[in-house]
Amino acid sequence: MRQLTAIRDDNMITVDGVALSVDLSFLPIEVWSVHSVDGEPDIYLRDIWQHKSEDPDDLVGQCVAAWDAELAHLEQQRKTAEEAWLNSWGRVREERNALITETDWMIFPDSPLSDSERDEVKIYRQALRDIPQHFSAPLEVVWPENRK
């Protein structure tokens, strides 16, 4: 069951509980709101508070199409932002810092590791810190392996 509510003055369409801000200027000025449950129209007019149960201009369909288009636009924006984040040095820095933090305890003098094992961890940590100098793009980064 698909439910739709569009309120012209708010420029808001809600479909199945998901509200999106949508330009509703395509609605006739006399229309205050458009409602629908499973495609059955329920249209309210502004000044005369008249209720219409017929939809000759397919306002429900236009509202659904506008909502679908806005949802697709937002999804594309999300994908673009995600791709930008994946291809950012900020993401690499966060991952690198997390990997370094995971090994902090290993380099303390009272860690259970031997001196040679601590030296290996120090080499690993230095390799992590050197990543920006060894790669020209964030997506090219190959993470060093911690053998401890």
Side-chain angles (χ1 to χ4, degrees):
M1 178 164 81
R2 195 163 200 197
Q3 295 182 349
L4 172 132
T5 299
I7 300 179
R8 190 179 203 292
D9 292 347
D10 293 342
N11 277 325
M12 187 72 61
I13 299 177
T14 304
V15 174
D16 297 336
V18 178
L20 298 176
S21 180
V22 178
D23 179 11
L24 294 175
S25 61
F26 63 86
L27 290 176
I29 193 70
E30 68 273 6
V31 172
W32 177 70
S33 66
V34 177
H35 306 270
S36 173
V37 175
D38 287 339
E40 293 299 317
D42 199 12
I43 300 168
Y44 292 86
L45 302 181
R46 178 182 307 278
D47 295 331
I48 54 178
W49 291 97
Q50 178 185 357
H51 168 256
K52 292 171 46 175
S53 58
E54 64 276 346
D55 188 7
D57 298 322
D58 191 26
L59 298 179
V60 170
Q62 290 182 53
C63 287
V64 168
W67 186 88
D68 287 342
E70 182 61 20
L71 186 63
H73 173 74
L74 292 172
E75 178 60 18
Q76 184 58 46
Q77 283 183 324
R78 184 199 64 75
K79 284 180 181 179
T80 300
E82 182 179 322
E83 288 172 7
W85 172 247
L86 289 174
N87 194 28
S88 73
W89 286 110
R91 177 200 49 91
V92 171
R93 187 177 310 108
E94 272 190 24
E95 288 185 41
R96 180 200 61 196
N97 291 348
L99 291 170
I100 290 173
T101 299
E102 288 175 8
T103 62
D104 282 348
W105 67 272
M106 296 178 179
I107 61 168
F108 294 137
D110 63 346
S111 80
L113 300 179
S114 68
D115 288 342
S116 64
E117 289 172 324
R118 267 197 301 277
D119 288 343
E120 285 182 35
V121 171
K122 289 178 183 177
I123 291 168
Y124 168 71
R125 289 166 60 97
Q126 187 60 52
L128 288 171
R129 287 191 290 273
D130 290 342
I131 282 176
Q133 290 79 25
H134 294 296
F135 297 95
S136 60
L139 291 177
E140 295 175 1
V141 171
V142 177
W143 296 97
E145 184 178 327
N146 182 10
R147 294 187 213 145
K148 286 290 135 219

